[in-house]
Amino acid sequence: LQIIVTILNENDNNPEFQKTNFTEVVPEDTKVNSTIIAREELSASDADLDIIYYELTTTVPATDGYFAIKGVNNPEIYLQKALDYEKFKWTTLILYARDRPVSSTEPTNTASATINIIIEQADTKPPWFLPCTFVNEERSICISSLYTGRVNMSEMATEALILEPGPIYAIDPDYTINERITYSIVSGNTDNVFSMDVDTGNLTMNKPATSPDSYLLQVMATQVNNIQKYSIASVEIKVINKSNYAPYFESRIYNGTVFVKQAPGSFVFQAEHPSSPLRITAVDDDFPDV
């Protein structure tokens, strides 16, 4: 009597990952569709020789949609949407491996692997002149204000010019990189009256200003590591006549006369000369002929 026994493979083994915990550093400027972790590193095995079905989920709110797998049977993780370091700096993904489809009603064995993604800030933004005002909700674009200052006609200042709303200063908004910035004047410096310190941005004078016309300088802040990362700001320098004296009133006391029930807008007359309107005058010795 010959008895043939057939062993039926029971689904009694869980899928297994070679590694169940991953940490990947992903640069912010990684191109969309780039592979983050290869299929070979993430593929699970099953002692029952079942087909493995994969699913990727995100555990950190507001970070879903950025990473995905190539397919239900291909666990390769790729970048699905452009990253922004200002929006989030890390996330955690959970990769599930099942020996039955998600929709299956049969008993299913499952394994999981944790993928920690750390976003690395990239050098994506040009310098910002400060102070500046954000013009978008993402706070990725900041527009600087006009710098203003003044100099005296025919006089050369020996110190750095004082400007409003503050000194010329720019930063690298990619703050984890914080690249060194240099400064220069690119236009508006008629007769080469002004100089700019390449490292500090301080504005000084080479010679006196001899024209009453204002100067509208265009200054540039440039990243040392990449001259294509630059910003332009405007500096208005007004040329004024120097004032040595403060204005003063010709008299310390003025006496006037008004009539009862006088209409609004009526003249106030001099107390000493009731027929002459009261005039309050001031003079400035810097302008003796005025």
Side-chain angles (χ1 to χ4, degrees):
L1 178 63
Q2 183 180 14
I3 299 174
I4 299 175
V5 178
T6 301
I7 308 298
L8 299 179
N9 188 10
E10 184 179 352
N11 185 22
D12 58 352
N13 291 284
N14 289 326
E16 291 185 359
F17 287 103
Q18 296 179 15
K19 185 178 177 181
T20 58
N21 200 296
F22 296 81
T23 297
E24 294 293 324
V25 177
V26 181
E28 177 187 12
D29 57 353
T30 299
K31 293 182 178 180
V32 172
N33 294 323
S34 296
T35 297
I36 304 302
I37 304 180
R39 177 177 185 171
E40 294 73 21
E41 296 183 66
L42 293 172
S43 294
S45 59
D46 189 346
D48 298 320
L49 303 180
D50 290 319
I51 296 174
I52 304 298
Y53 299 86
Y54 298 94
E55 180 186 14
L56 186 68
T57 63
T58 305
T59 64
V60 179
T63 64
D64 56 323
Y66 287 89
F67 300 93
I69 56 175
K70 287 289 187 177
V72 68
N73 300 122
N74 182 355
E76 177 182 319
I77 297 177
Y78 71 99
L79 183 63
Q80 186 172 239
K81 188 166 64 173
L83 298 170
D84 186 344
Y85 187 81
E86 302 301 326
K87 290 184 177 180
F88 70 98
K89 299 170 177 55
W90 64 274
T91 188
T92 299
L93 311 174
I94 305 296
L95 179 65
Y96 294 97
R98 299 184 176 91
D99 55 13
R100 296 289 185 272
V102 174
S103 59
S104 176
T105 57
E106 298 180 35
T108 303
N109 296 311
T110 305
S112 65
T114 301
I115 299 98
N116 298 300
I117 301 291
I118 299 172
I119 310 303
E120 182 180 60
Q121 189 172 37
D123 190 6
T124 59
K125 299 182 183 70
W128 288 347
F129 281 97
L130 299 181
C132 63
T133 303
F134 291 104
V135 297
N136 61 342
E137 293 182 0
E138 294 79 12
R139 300 173 69 86
S140 59
I141 301 175
C142 203
I143 303 301
S144 64
S145 303
L146 173 70
Y147 293 99
T148 59
R150 62 182 186 178
V151 296
N152 294 323
M153 174 77 77
S154 303
E155 185 176 296
M156 188 178 83
T158 57
E159 302 291 335
L161 301 184
I162 297 175
L163 304 176
E164 295 291 342
I168 296 171
Y169 178 63
I171 63 168
D172 180 1
D174 301 310
Y175 54 87
T176 62
I177 299 173
N178 195 27
E179 186 56 50
R180 178 170 165 252
I181 292 172
T182 57
Y183 304 88
S184 60
I185 301 173
V186 293
S187 69
N189 193 13
T190 306
D191 296 330
N192 196 33
V193 172
F194 302 99
S195 288
M196 175 165 281
D197 189 290
V198 67
D199 294 312
T200 66
N202 285 339
L203 199 62
T204 55
M205 298 186 74
N206 297 320
K207 62 179 75 170
T210 57
S211 170
D213 296 331
S214 296
Y215 293 83
L216 186 59
L217 308 177
Q218 301 296 314
V219 299
M220 182 167 65
T222 308
Q223 289 187 193
V224 171
N225 68 328
N226 185 349
I227 61 173
Q228 294 182 342
K229 294 285 176 62
Y230 68 89
S231 291
I232 301 293
S234 297
V235 183
E236 183 182 25
I237 304 296
K238 295 181 179 179
V239 181
I240 62 174
N241 288 313
K242 184 176 180 180
S243 179
N244 294 312
Y245 305 97
Y248 59 92
F249 290 104
E250 290 185 305
S251 175
R252 294 183 59 188
I253 300 176
Y254 290 85
N255 296 311
T257 300
V258 294
F259 297 101
V260 175
K261 296 183 180 180
Q262 190 167 327
S266 300
F267 283 116
V268 175
F269 293 93
Q270 296 181 33
E272 298 84 359
H273 304 283
S275 61
S276 301
L278 179 65
R279 298 181 62 189
I280 299 175
T281 56
V283 295
D284 189 336
D285 291 340
D286 287 312
F287 306 95
D289 299 329
V290 177

